[in-house]
C-alpha cells in the first residue's frame, strides 16, 4: 500500500474549461472542455476535506477558469465559509474584466459571499489571449474591494514587464519570444514563472529548453512528489492529483477516508513503477510491455519523459485507472 499524508494545501478544479488555451498549462485546459463539477460533488469534496483538516493551511479555487461559472464559484465560497475552511484565493485570468463596472460588481458579489483574496494571472502565456487592460481592471478594482493585500498577481514580474504593451490587444506569444530572444524568454519562464515541465508546457515549450536522453533521468523515485501533501488538486471528477503530476490520479477524493488508509498499487502499474522506481522503471515497463520508443531528440525534464510515456500508454487502448482524466492526454498538442 502506498501511504499519503492528509493534505496541507490544495486547489479545487471546478472544470478544465477555460477561455484560454495557454501554451504552458499544466492541466491542458481550453475552451473545448465542457464538464463542470456538480454542486453536490463539490459539497461532498469540501465536507471530506473539512473532516481531514488537521494539517490544512489553505485551499484555493481554480480551473480552468472559475469565473466561467460564477454561480458555482459563489456556492463554493459560501460552502467553504460555512465549513470554516481557509480559502486563500480564487485564481482567474481576468477574461471577464472587460469593463470596470462588470469587474466591480462581480468582485463585490464574491466578497459578499466570503471571498477574501484573488490571484490574477499575468504572463506572456495568458496575455496571448487576454488584453492587459483586463488584468489592470482586476488588480486595481480588486485592491479596492479586497484591500491591497487581497490581490496576488502571478507574476508581478510579468505585470511590470508587460505594463508597457498596448493594453487593448492580446500579445502574440511568438512576438514576445522574438522581442526577448529565446534565451532570455526561456530563462524568465523558468525563474520568474516557475514553469513546470509537464502538461502542455512539455509538449509545446520544449523548443526553449535543453533536451537530454532518457538515461539522464534515471535513478529518481517519485514517491516523494506523489505523496507530497502540499498544493494537491482535486478535480471535477474527484481525481486526487499530487502537486506537479498532472494526468495521474491517486484515487477518488470524494472518499478521502479510504484514500488516506492507503493506495493499493496492485492494479495501478504506472503508479507502482513511479512510486517504487521512478521514470526509469516506468520506461522499462512501457518499452517491454507496450512498445514505447524513446524520443530521439530527448526530453527537457524527468516529468517530460514521464508524460510522454504516459501519453503513449493512454493511447494503447488499455485502461490504466491511475491515468486521468482521459481528456488530459487528448489535448496536450492543442
Ligand atoms: S516524473 Fe511523473 S510522477 Fe514523477 S514528479 Fe514528474 S510527473 Fe510526477
Amino acid at each position: 500500500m502506498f501511504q499519503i499524508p492528509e493534505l496541507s494545501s490544495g486547489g479545487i478544479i471546478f472544470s478544465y474549461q477555460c477561455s484560454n488555451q495557454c501554451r504552458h498549462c499544466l492541466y491542458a485546459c481550453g475552451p473545448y472542455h465542457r464538464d463542470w463539477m456538480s454542486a453536490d460533488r463539490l459539497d461532498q469534496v469540501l465536507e471530506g476535506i473539512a473532516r481531514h483538516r488537521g494539517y490544512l493551511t489553505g485551499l484555493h479555487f481554480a480551473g480552468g477558469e472559475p469565473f466561467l461559472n460564477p454561480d458555482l464559484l459563489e456556492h463554493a465560497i459560501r460552502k467553504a465559509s460555512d465549513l470554516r475552511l481557509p480559502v486563500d484565493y480564487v485564481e482567474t485570468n481576468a477574461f471577464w474584466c472587460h469593463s470596470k463596472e462588470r469587474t466591480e460588481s462581480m468582485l463585490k458579489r464574491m466578497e459578499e459571499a466570503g471571498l477574501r483574496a484573488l490571484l490574477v494571472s499575468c504572463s506572456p502565456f495568458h496575455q496571448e489571449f487576454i488584453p492587459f487592460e483586463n488584468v489592470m481592471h482586476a488588480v486595481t478594482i480588486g485592491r479596492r474591494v479586497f484591500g491591497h493585500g487581497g490581490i496576488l498577481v502571478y507574476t508581478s514580474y510579468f505585470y511590470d514587464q508587460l505594463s508597457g504593451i498596448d493594453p487593448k490587444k492580446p500579445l502574440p506569444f511568438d512576438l514576445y519570444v522574438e522581442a526577448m530572444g529565446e534565451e532570455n524568454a526561456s530563462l524568465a519562464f523558468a525563474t520568474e514563472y516557475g514553469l513546470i515541465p509537464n502538461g502542455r508546457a512539455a509538449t509545446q515549450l520544449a523548443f526553449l529548453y535543453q533536451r537530454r536522453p532518457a538515461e539522464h533521468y534515471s535513478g529518481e523515485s517519485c514517491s516523494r512528489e506523489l505523496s507530497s501533501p502540499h498544493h494537491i488538486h482535486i478535480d471535477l471528477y474527484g481525481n486526487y492529483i499530487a502537486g506537479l503530476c498532472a494526468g495521474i490520479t491517486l484515487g477518488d477524493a470524494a472518499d478521502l477516508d479510504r484514500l488516506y488508509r492507503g493506495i493499493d498499487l496492485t492494479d495501478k502499474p504506472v503508479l507502482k513503477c513511479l512510486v517504487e522506481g521512478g521514470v526509469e522503471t516506468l520506461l522499462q515497463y512501457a518499452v517491454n510491455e507496450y512498445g514505447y520508443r524513446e524520443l530521439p531528440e530527448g526530453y527537457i525534464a524527468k516529468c517530460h519523459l514521464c508524460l510522454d510515456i504516459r501519453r503513449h500508454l493512454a493511447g494503447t487502448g488499455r485502461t490504466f485507472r491511475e491515468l486521468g482524466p482521459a481528456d488530459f492526454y487528448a489535448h496536450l498538442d492543442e
Side-chain angles (χ1 to χ4, degrees):
M1 295 288 254
F2 177 47
Q3 302 288 340
I4 58 170
E6 295 184 356
L7 80 163
S8 67
S9 61
I12 311 294
I13 297 174
F14 296 157
S15 171
Y16 292 104
Q17 188 178 32
C18 189
S19 54
N20 295 5
Q21 203 168 322
C22 296
R23 298 177 197 232
H24 75 303
C25 185
L26 181 59
Y27 296 105
C29 298
Y32 32 73
H33 292 285
R34 288 286 176 266
D35 294 349
W36 282 80
M37 189 178 262
S38 68
D40 285 348
R41 183 183 282 272
L42 180 57
D43 290 353
Q44 194 181 7
V45 167
L46 291 177
E47 285 162 10
I49 291 172
R51 285 197 302 278
H52 292 275
R53 67 197 310 160
Y55 302 103
L56 185 68
T57 58
L59 280 182
H60 63 277
F61 295 139
E65 171 52 53
F67 281 87
L68 281 170
N69 192 339
D71 292 345
L72 186 67
L73 177 57
E74 184 182 345
H75 175 90
I77 294 165
R78 290 190 186 281
K79 181 72 182 178
S81 184
D82 289 348
L83 292 167
R84 298 182 186 279
L85 287 170
V87 175
D88 289 337
Y89 54 84
V90 174
E91 292 178 2
T92 186
N93 63 28
F95 85 94
W96 49 277
C97 302
H98 39 77
S99 78
K100 291 180 181 175
E101 296 71 25
R102 175 160 168 72
T103 306
E104 182 158 1
S105 66
M106 180 69 84
L107 291 183
K108 281 188 169 163
R109 175 182 169 186
M110 298 306 163
E111 195 268 343
E112 280 163 17
L115 185 64
R116 294 294 169 259
L118 188 72
L119 185 147
V120 185
S121 298
C122 181
S123 76
F125 311 119
H126 297 88
Q127 271 36 89
E128 184 171 24
F129 300 91
I130 310 288
F132 188 75
E133 185 176 68
N134 289 38
V135 180
M136 284 196 294
H137 288 157
V139 171
T140 53
I141 296 167
R143 281 177 178 154
R144 282 212 303 271
V145 174
F146 297 113
H148 205 275
I151 292 295
L152 314 162
V153 182
Y154 196 83
T155 72
S156 53
Y157 170 88
F158 286 119
Y159 188 76
D160 292 342
Q161 186 188 58
L162 298 175
S163 61
I165 66 173
D166 183 341
K168 302 251 179 229
K169 290 185 188 161
L171 173 66
F173 183 78
D174 294 341
L175 211 61
Y176 175 85
V177 172
E178 192 183 317
M180 288 284 289
E182 283 194 4
E183 199 170 324
N184 287 334
S186 63
L187 193 65
F189 298 152
T191 58
E192 303 296 340
Y193 197 84
L195 194 68
I196 297 169
N198 191 1
R200 204 179 273 137
T203 58
Q204 298 204 13
L205 297 174
F207 72 96
L208 289 168
Y209 297 95
Q210 187 181 355
R211 290 170 177 259
R212 296 184 173 91
E215 65 184 10
H216 181 82
Y217 305 106
S218 296
E220 296 179 42
S221 160
C222 292
S223 62
R224 185 174 50 85
E225 291 96 328
L226 287 162
S227 63
S228 171
H230 310 303
H231 209 76
I232 67 103
H233 283 85
I234 295 171
D235 77 7
L236 60 152
Y237 307 111
N239 294 311
Y240 189 103
I241 303 161
L244 309 180
C245 307
I248 301 174
T249 172
L250 299 186
D252 185 4
D255 191 355
L256 286 176
D257 298 341
R258 187 172 169 199
L259 197 65
Y260 290 142
R261 280 200 295 273
I263 300 163
D264 184 358
L265 297 180
T266 50
D267 60 347
K268 300 183 182 73
V270 175
L271 199 52
K272 184 174 165 65
C273 287
L274 290 167
V275 166
E276 295 181 355
V279 283
E280 182 183 4
T281 307
L282 181 63
L283 176 62
Q284 286 163 1
Y285 171 75
V287 168
N288 295 339
E289 303 290 328
Y290 291 95
Y292 176 76
R293 299 171 78 159
E294 285 183 38
L295 295 177
E297 64 272 31
Y299 309 87
I300 61 170
K302 75 168 183 172
C303 299
H304 181 199
L305 169 60
C306 178
L307 175 72
D308 199 61
I309 298 170
R310 288 186 277 119
R311 181 152 71 150
H312 175 81
L313 295 174
T316 60
R318 171 177 165 178
T319 301
F320 292 91
R321 298 175 59 203
E322 66 274 49
L323 298 186
D327 262 11
F328 171 79
Y329 294 95
H331 294 295
L332 290 168
D333 290 322
E334 294 172 5

